[in-house]
Amino acid sequence: MLALQPAAALAAPAGPDAAACSSRSGRTALLVHVGGFRERSGTVRIVLYGSDPARFLARGGAVHRVDVPVSRSGTMQICIAVPQAGRYAVAVRHDENGNGETDWDDGGGFSRNPVVSIARPRPDFDAVAIDVRRGVQPVHVTLSYRTGFTIAPVGGGR
């Protein structure tokens, strides 16, 4: 008898780097699991930053980025190729209206899911940095959105 698996478990990684997350690719990649969407619209951008804290979140500081349309449901699995094993940080932005610009109501998150606030929306590099090994490594990011004077996941949980 064939066991049924949840649809999310069957979903292939999204994005232009999806082949890098194949177990046979031999490449170094991150499979970023993005959850906590407030709306199922727009696009998701995954940005990879290298080990230099001065380049983290700086214009032109990214090592690589991937943009994909938001899926209709579930946690998204987005593959991003990594140049080589090392120390990296991942930033995720949900461009809810898909206009290509960072708007006040867009959602976001980081590797290691640090707490952010209106007063401090950008975490320190060390709070989000991860050690990436050769092969495919999962990273879980829960999106947070601005609500009044706070920034938190939808429903307030982490």
Side-chain angles (χ1 to χ4, degrees):
M1 176 177 221
L2 180 62
L4 295 176
Q5 294 184 1
L10 301 175
D17 293 352
C21 284
S22 163
S23 61
R24 290 180 235 149
S25 77
R27 298 193 50 198
T28 301
L30 295 174
L31 184 57
V32 184
H33 300 264
V34 182
F37 289 91
R38 178 171 63 191
E39 297 289 334
R40 302 309 284 205
S41 60
T43 59
V44 174
R45 172 173 288 168
I46 309 291
V47 183
L48 182 69
Y49 292 93
S51 61
D52 182 357
R55 296 182 59 90
F56 176 58
L57 300 178
R59 184 173 296 277
V63 171
H64 188 43
R65 89 175 198 205
V66 170
D67 292 282
V68 297
V70 173
S71 65
R72 291 179 158 213
S73 64
T75 297
M76 291 187 68
Q77 297 181 50
I78 304 166
C79 184
I80 186 162
V82 178
Q84 61 190 16
R87 193 155 173 82
Y88 294 90
V90 174
V92 178
R93 179 171 64 95
H94 175 206
D95 181 5
E96 197 170 78
N97 64 8
N99 68 355
E101 297 183 19
T102 301
D103 299 317
W104 191 245
D105 290 330
D106 287 343
F110 298 93
S111 42
R112 298 181 53 200
N113 293 302
V115 174
V116 295
S117 67
I118 296 287
R120 191 174 172 142
R122 296 172 169 239
D124 292 330
F125 176 80
D126 288 335
V128 299
I130 55 174
D131 292 318
V132 178
R133 304 173 304 278
R134 184 164 167 72
V136 180
Q137 183 172 326
V139 175
H140 298 273
V141 175
T142 301
L143 295 169
S144 291
Y145 296 86
R146 182 185 69 81
T147 304
F149 293 109
T150 63
I151 298 175
V154 175
R158 277 244 171 237

